[in-house]
Amino acid sequence: MWSYQLRTAPRPSGRATRVIYTEYDLPRETISPHDVIVDAEGIAWYSSFGEQNLGRLDPKTGEVKEFSINTFKPGFPTGLLGLRSDREGNLWLGNMYQATIVKFDPRTQKFTYWQLRRSRTSTRRR
């Protein structure tokens, strides 16, 4: 039970229903874009859910470029989530299964990594 009255918004009509979808081909069928953001220059960036790649798509030309992200835990699953940008235009990614945070500077095209430290003590259930 809510403390307020639930009201639905009216359905969009007229100009509000006009939309254009544009699809772009990616270089491989295995690419699974997860988060997609558009930067100040109109470039679309995507995190690849199942691969260690950051993708860059130029919507004007359709050109796609991928940047390979290091694997820190061989044998563990790969893939990225949580693509966000900061005020300087750097891109930040959650490298979930590899237990790292990744920063990418589009100007220099360089990655910086922060890895979780391994615990020196283990917790056992008794």
Side-chain angles (χ1 to χ4, degrees), residues 21 30 37 44 46 58 92 109-110 119 122:
Y21 289 97
T30 58
I37 61 172
Y46 63 86
D58 184 340
W92 293 81
Q109 298 186 356
K110 303 255 180 185
S119 175
S122 63

Side-chain angles (χ1 to χ4, degrees), residues 18-110:
R18 295 183 185 169
V19 67
I20 296 173
Y21 289 97
T22 304
E23 293 185 8
Y24 298 90
D25 290 328
L26 296 176
R28 292 180 316 286
E29 288 186 19
T30 58
I31 297 173
S32 300
H34 190 274
D35 293 341
V36 179
I37 61 172
V38 178
D39 68 16
E41 297 174 13
I43 300 296
W45 297 88
Y46 63 86
S47 58
S48 187
F49 183 69
E51 301 173 340
Q52 293 293 104
N53 294 315
L54 171 65
R56 178 189 186 278
L57 169 72
D58 184 340
K60 293 176 186 167
T61 64
E63 178 187 10
V64 176
K65 183 172 182 178
E66 289 187 300
F67 301 90
S68 181
I69 295 173
N70 290 349
T71 299
F72 290 92
K73 295 172 73 175
F76 281 75
T78 58
L80 304 155
L81 289 173
L83 176 62
R84 302 289 183 270
S85 63
D86 64 21
R87 291 181 183 148
E88 288 79 41
N90 298 305
L91 303 174
W92 293 81
L93 299 116
N95 197 2
M96 55 188 181
Y97 299 121
Q98 295 292 309
T100 56
I101 301 294
V102 181
K103 178 179 122 179
F104 180 75
D105 183 339
R107 293 170 296 285
T108 63
Q109 298 186 356
K110 303 255 180 185

